[in-house]
């Protein structure tokens, strides 16, 4: 349970770090706001045309008697819209991170520098950074969809579907949200996605303590916009916990210690210095 509490604290510390530097990170709200507007427009369009899409996809129900045709297509329409809403929620962080990649990378760097021991980021062009982020986000999305399908099917099982499945769904959403939010800091450390997931799964309670509260908060669209910069800052603090900075060696330019001067005997011949002690 200590790890669970520590994960929650990293989320709070990230928001606190951002709140103390409001003027410097206020622009970080813009990528989340742009993403929110795009998603809202897409959901409105889906709401208008979901019924037509379902009718087009179920021509076999055209000859069904009333009310069965209406009930069947109404259920499918609701499921289609719910699926679109679920997809929007689970991909919001990933799309926002892509839209604001340069800002969030700079934010993670600022967090590292403020805490000390900032790693040197890989020297790769921005387009390659975006390509890696997009590829990793797509792989995470496939995992989320896979878990979503399994949980959807289990939702029809009596008792389990009404108790265990909702809790499992929140935990899955929280875990993969943590994977996304720590991605910027992990990428700055050149850690591949497979290794990131292994590290986060190895400290599962810590990861869930960080990701689950944010996943619940992100269900409220405007809250997600305002929490996004702090969530990335908290993800960076979490990565620093999982991958603590190695102690640095001698600073560049330091000269090595001088060897013990040679001794000369009375005849002027050199002899080795006596061993210490």
């Amino acid at each position: 349970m200590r790890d669970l509490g520590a994960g929650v604290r990293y989320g709070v510390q990230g928001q606190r770090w951002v709140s103390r530097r409001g003027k410097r990170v206020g622009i970080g709200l813009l990528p989340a706001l742009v993403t929110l507007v795009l998603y809202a427009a897409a959901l409105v369009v889906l709401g208008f045309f979901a019924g037509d899409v379902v009718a087009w996809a179920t021509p076999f129900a055209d000859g069904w008697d009333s009310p069965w045709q209406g009930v069947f297509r109404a259920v499918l329409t609701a499921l289609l819209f719910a699926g679109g809403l679920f997809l929007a929620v689970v991909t919001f962080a990933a799309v926002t991170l892509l839209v604001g990649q340069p800002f969030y990378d700079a934010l993670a760097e600022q967090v590292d520098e403020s805490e000390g021991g900032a790693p040197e980021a890989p020297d790769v062009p921005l387009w390659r950074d975006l390509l890696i982020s997009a590829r990793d986000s797509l792989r995470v999305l496939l995992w989320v969809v896979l878990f979503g399908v399994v949980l959807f099917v289990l939702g029809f099982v009596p008792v389990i579907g009404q108790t265990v499945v909702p809790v499992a769904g929140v935990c899955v959403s929280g875990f993969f949200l943590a994977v996304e939010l720590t991605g910027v800091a992990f990428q700055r450390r050149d850690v591949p996605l497979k290794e990131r997931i292994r590290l986060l799964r190895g400290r599962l309670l810590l990861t869930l303590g960080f990701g689950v509260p944010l996943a619940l908060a992100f269900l409220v669209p405007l809250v997600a916009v305002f929490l996004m910069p702090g969530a990335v800052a908290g993800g960076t603090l979490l990565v620093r916990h999982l991958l603590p900075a190695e102690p640095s060696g001698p600073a560049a330019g330091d000269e090595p210690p001088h060897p013990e001067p040679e001794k000369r005997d009375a005849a002027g011949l050199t002899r080795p210095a006596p061993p210490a002690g």
Side-chain angles (χ1 to χ4, degrees), residues 112-146:
D112 275 326
E113 289 177 349
S114 69
E115 298 296 316
E120 185 176 350
D123 186 17
V124 296
L126 177 60
W127 68 267
R128 182 169 175 80
D129 235 6
L130 291 172
L131 186 62
I132 293 172
S133 297
R135 180 198 65 191
D136 290 346
S137 296
L138 182 59
R139 291 166 65 185
V140 170
L141 176 61
L142 291 176
W143 278 105
V144 171
V145 170
L146 177 62

Side-chain angles (χ1 to χ4, degrees), residues 121-239:
D123 186 17
V124 296
L126 177 60
W127 68 267
R128 182 169 175 80
D129 235 6
L130 291 172
L131 186 62
I132 293 172
S133 297
R135 180 198 65 191
D136 290 346
S137 296
L138 182 59
R139 291 166 65 185
V140 170
L141 176 61
L142 291 176
W143 278 105
V144 171
V145 170
L146 177 62
F147 276 101
V149 170
V150 173
L151 291 174
F152 177 77
V153 173
L154 291 177
F156 292 99
V157 178
V159 181
I160 293 178
Q162 293 73 48
T163 54
V164 177
V165 170
V167 175
V170 171
C171 289
V172 168
S173 299
F175 177 83
F176 285 109
L177 180 61
V179 172
E180 292 286 2
L181 293 173
T182 55
V184 177
F186 272 130
Q187 195 167 326
R188 293 191 72 248
R189 289 159 173 80
D190 204 21
V191 179
L193 178 61
K194 186 177 181 180
E195 180 66 11
R196 299 175 204 172
I197 293 178
R198 187 191 67 81
L199 287 168
L200 292 170
R201 192 177 58 221
R203 300 292 298 275
L204 187 58
L205 287 180
L206 180 70
T207 304
L208 293 179
F210 173 73
V212 167
L214 288 172
L216 293 174
F218 275 30
L219 292 174
V220 184
L222 285 178
V223 172
V225 170
F226 287 102
L227 292 185
M228 193 65 192
V232 174
T236 304
L237 295 173
L238 177 60
V239 171

